[in-house]
Amino acid sequence: KRIWKKSQSALITFSHMVVDGKAIAEKIKTSLREEVLRSGKKLRLAVIVVGGDAVTEKFLEQKKKFAAAIGVDVRVYDFPADISTTKLREKVSEIVHIKENTGVIIQLPLPSHINTPYILDAIMPEKDPDLLSSKSWGAFVAGKNKILPPVVGAIKKIFQEYDIEPKGKSIAVIGTGRLVGKPAALWLMSEGATVTVIDENSLHPARYTLHADIIISGVGKAGLITRDMVKEGAVIIDAGTSESGGSIKGDVEADAAERASVFSPVPGGVGPVAVAMLFQNLATLAK
């Protein structure tokens, strides 16, 4: 009985840490600046934007700022929202074959009328720091890629920084998108975690999240995760972004975050680290 009380007490008294993604990104920035300088190469990231919104603009500004700090050029190619799939594919192919473009990324999501996989497949793996083409994705799934998708790389960095071990843990991944949910679930399984993937077809998501040691959400729906969905002391990684009233919001409500032992917020958590990992990937591909 005494042992039970001790363990119960240990479970209840946990520290609440908020992830400082900007500080982690700064560390990566410092080492990358030196790496780019030593290489003597001119690196350039081409960013293809179709249409665009407040969230897109926010991410673009982060990328430009980070790139400038490490000596990397960013070239933005803007296209109208009504461009056809065929025309966009032609343009992407042209941009990919420009020698000066070390890497090419496409700001997602694309307009609904665009065949997104067809557009992403125009990027060759050696110029794909986002790992979104079929070939890059296949290599990642097979464990043959030297780089990780930026958000997955960011989650890995956060885990390392805060001594979070995914192996043997019960993890709920909310969302099945190509940027967060799918790659995060695959990576976590490869790390030895027991992973439950929750999407819009999952009935009663709280049944799974309440038993999860770690929750990772990348849906992009403000207030999706409420207090009654989180067990005391869980780790919560919020990687969902949406725009509400002119500000960027995450998926996790504030009172739900309070229950976490470690919480990665939006903004300021995964976002800055994912940007840093994108440029880390670019530097690795340039080698």
Side-chain angles (χ1 to χ4, degrees), residues 35-50:
E35 190 179 325
V36 171
L37 199 62
R38 278 198 312 271
S39 75
K41 292 180 181 177
K42 287 284 288 178
L43 304 187
R44 186 163 88 184
L45 179 69
V47 185
I48 294 163
V49 178
V50 182

Side-chain angles (χ1 to χ4, degrees), residues 42-122:
K42 287 284 288 178
L43 304 187
R44 186 163 88 184
L45 179 69
V47 185
I48 294 163
V49 178
V50 182
D53 55 23
V55 174
T56 299
E57 282 303 314
K58 179 84 172 173
F59 281 133
L60 263 181
E61 284 311 308
Q62 285 181 347
K63 285 165 187 168
K64 286 178 184 174
K65 196 174 175 183
F66 193 97
I70 63 169
V72 170
D73 185 24
V74 172
R75 182 68 56 88
V76 179
Y77 297 85
D78 279 304
F79 296 101
D82 61 354
I83 191 171
S84 69
T85 294
T86 304
K87 190 67 178 173
L88 183 59
R89 171 81 183 212
E90 285 174 14
K91 292 294 183 184
V92 173
S93 295
E94 287 172 17
I95 293 162
V96 167
H97 286 94
I98 295 170
K99 189 183 174 185
E100 289 78 11
N101 289 335
T102 316
V104 180
I105 65 169
I106 294 168
Q107 200 69 44
L108 296 178
L110 291 172
S112 57
H113 70 277
I114 298 284
N115 182 341
T116 298
Y118 182 61
I119 298 304
L120 293 171
D121 283 349

